[in-house]
Amino acid sequence: MDRVTELVLAATYRQGLLNGFFAILGRLERSGAAAVHWFVSLIIIGALVSISVTLNRQMEFLMPIGNPYKAPSSDIVANNQSEEQQAQTERLAQGQKLIIYAMLLYFVVLFAQAFIGLLGPLLLLGCLLMSIIGLFRVLSVLDSHIVIKILLFILLFVPLINLFVMLRINARATKRLRAEGYTVGLLGARK
């Protein structure tokens, strides 16, 4: 599958997710749940911002910006990384994927909690465990002070704040993985 087809499929998938968000928002609006309506509105706004930023980054290769007369540069990444550094980068990519999956599962559980009943709290606990393991893997590679690491682990247990913590750590991991030559998409990094 070529790159343009992948981008079109990703945009279509994101549009489907947004349509689902708006359908849920409409249902909540008709039921009169004001607090839930406000919370879902925040989630939708965050999703829209995230999607627009992701699409802008992915579309950069279609619209070259800069000097058109500049000599072309090579996209080949030098393979002079040591095995230990490659292992750390793989650990970072795995941790980032766990964080992304935890966030996605968290949103799915929140939206489907009325339908799944007692299974919801168990899935939220699984979400928390995935985010703890992912955060541990990512922070073991990234250079952070021990106090910051402890504070981030404590904030994982605070609802809604944990999403912002995971988004921030995901952004740091994405920046590092792109610097290492990985392609980072919606569901994590790939070489």
Side-chain angles (χ1 to χ4, degrees):
M1 194 178 332
D2 65 336
R3 181 79 171 142
V4 175
T5 307
E6 286 180 7
L7 288 174
V8 170
L9 287 175
T12 306
Y13 174 72
R14 288 182 185 105
Q15 185 62 40
L17 283 176
L18 285 177
N19 290 342
F21 283 145
F22 285 121
I24 290 171
L25 186 61
R27 180 179 284 174
L28 289 173
E29 190 173 311
R30 287 189 296 271
S31 70
V36 176
H37 175 75
W38 179 81
F39 180 70
V40 172
S41 297
L42 279 175
I43 291 172
I44 290 173
I45 290 170
L48 287 172
V49 169
S50 173
I51 288 169
S52 66
V53 168
T54 303
L55 283 177
N56 285 340
R57 286 182 182 161
Q58 290 179 351
M59 297 298 277
E60 283 177 356
F61 83 96
L62 292 177
M63 298 175 286
I65 300 173
N67 184 359
Y69 303 108
K70 183 180 176 183
S73 61
S74 175
D75 289 339
I76 299 173
V77 178
N79 195 9
N80 58 2
Q81 291 181 334
S82 67
E83 289 181 19
E84 181 181 331
Q85 191 175 10
Q86 287 177 348
Q88 284 186 344
T89 305
E90 285 295 320
R91 185 176 175 95
L92 180 66
Q94 291 171 354
Q96 183 199 32
K97 282 184 183 183
L98 280 174
I99 288 173
I100 291 171
Y101 294 153
M103 285 189 294
L104 291 175
L105 181 64
Y106 187 76
F107 285 125
V108 168
V109 171
L110 285 180
F111 288 124
Q113 201 162 15
F115 303 113
I116 58 178
L118 294 177
L119 188 59
L122 290 175
L123 289 175
L124 286 175
L125 181 64
C127 220
L128 180 66
L129 289 175
M130 282 175 53
S131 62
I132 288 172
I133 293 169
L135 190 67
F136 180 76
R137 287 185 180 179
V138 169
L139 289 179
S140 68
V141 176
L142 295 177
D143 298 327
S144 296
H145 195 273
I146 189 70
V147 175
I148 301 291
K149 290 178 183 180
I150 292 170
L151 180 66
L152 291 175
F153 277 109
I154 291 171
L155 289 176
L156 274 183
F157 293 96
V158 180
L160 193 61
I161 301 293
N162 61 358
L163 290 175
F164 293 114
V165 168
M166 288 189 286
L167 285 172
R168 178 66 184 137
I169 294 300
N170 182 32
R172 286 183 61 197
T174 298
K175 184 177 178 181
R176 173 86 178 262
L177 287 169
R178 285 193 176 143
E180 297 287 334
Y182 280 76
T183 303
V184 182
L186 179 66
L187 295 178
R190 64 178 188 270
K191 194 81 167 155

